[in-house]
Amino acid sequence: MDLLFGVDWRELFVPDKPLLQVVVRGTVIYFVIFFLVRVIPNRQVGGVGMNDLLLIVLIASAANNALAGDYNSITNGIVLVGTIIFWSYLFNWAGHRYPVLHRLFHPTPKPLIKGGEVQHDNMRRELITEEELMGKLRRRGITEVERVEEAHVESDGQVSVVERESR
């Protein structure tokens, strides 16, 4: 019977670490991972925004620690998840409010093709090969680079393409 109802409520809800320590740990990890992810070329992120990806990974990890018992109290896990959500919200809010921060948090699209000409330097920086670029164009029914007015790698890693007008 004790196995069913012998819950140690104190262990579940009373923090075993100072809450400020949990907040500082969450803050430092958020910032470190944010800036590491920020320097990865956009194509590596995929179809999700960098901040969203970071939020998902960190919340999953924090929630796992609270669920699996790496923290002795659920309160520590909740505070850590709250800290991560706070920083994510603050970054999104600040990026929306201040254009200079928006450029830091959301990289500007980089041109891969301009006026039918491949921009090799940008492709090299984004680690995109010509074969990959051509594959993305073929998926849009384009077989020749000359038919493309502009192609950009967007901040979420997707490639946007604008075809030239037919003459």
Side-chain angles (χ1 to χ4, degrees):
M1 202 61 167
D2 197 35
L3 195 56
L4 275 176
F5 299 107
V7 176
D8 184 351
W9 296 103
R10 180 172 170 70
E11 182 180 314
L12 277 179
F13 292 105
V14 176
D16 60 321
K17 296 182 179 9
L19 294 181
L20 183 59
Q21 178 180 334
V22 175
V23 169
V24 170
R25 284 176 183 265
T27 298
V28 169
I29 293 301
Y30 186 91
F31 277 93
V32 167
I33 293 175
F34 178 87
F35 288 107
L36 287 175
V37 170
R38 178 63 176 88
V39 299
I40 293 174
N42 293 343
R43 73 177 293 266
Q44 300 297 320
V45 175
V48 199
M50 177 187 58
N51 203 24
D52 298 328
L53 177 68
L54 179 61
L55 182 66
I56 291 166
V57 169
L58 289 177
I59 285 179
S61 177
N64 182 50
N65 286 338
L67 286 171
D70 288 349
Y71 296 129
N72 288 336
S73 80
I74 293 171
T75 307
N76 284 28
I78 291 170
V79 169
L80 183 55
V81 168
T83 300
I84 292 165
I85 290 173
F86 166 77
W87 284 113
S88 177
Y89 177 81
L90 186 67
F91 274 34
N92 283 330
W93 176 84
H96 178 74
R97 180 87 168 88
Y98 303 102
V100 94
L101 292 178
H102 181 74
R103 287 189 296 275
L104 172 68
F105 301 148
H106 306 283
T108 58
K110 292 185 183 63
L112 302 177
I113 300 174
K114 275 189 194 174
E117 297 289 324
V118 175
Q119 306 297 302
H120 293 283
D121 287 343
N122 287 344
M123 287 183 54
R124 199 170 15 261
R125 275 191 284 275
E126 294 300 317
L127 304 175
I128 297 175
T129 65
E130 284 199 45
E131 292 80 24
E132 289 172 308
L133 179 60
M134 290 307 298
K136 292 179 185 299
L137 295 178
R138 283 191 299 275
R139 285 187 200 101
R140 290 178 169 79
I142 301 169
T143 56
E144 300 162 347
V145 173
E146 294 77 23
R147 289 185 41 206
V148 176
E149 183 63 36
E150 295 179 353
H152 292 83
V153 63
E154 302 294 338
S155 62
D156 66 357
Q158 300 297 312
V159 175
S160 61
V161 178
V162 177
E163 284 189 73
R164 286 186 167 186
E165 294 288 323
S166 300
R167 295 176 194 174

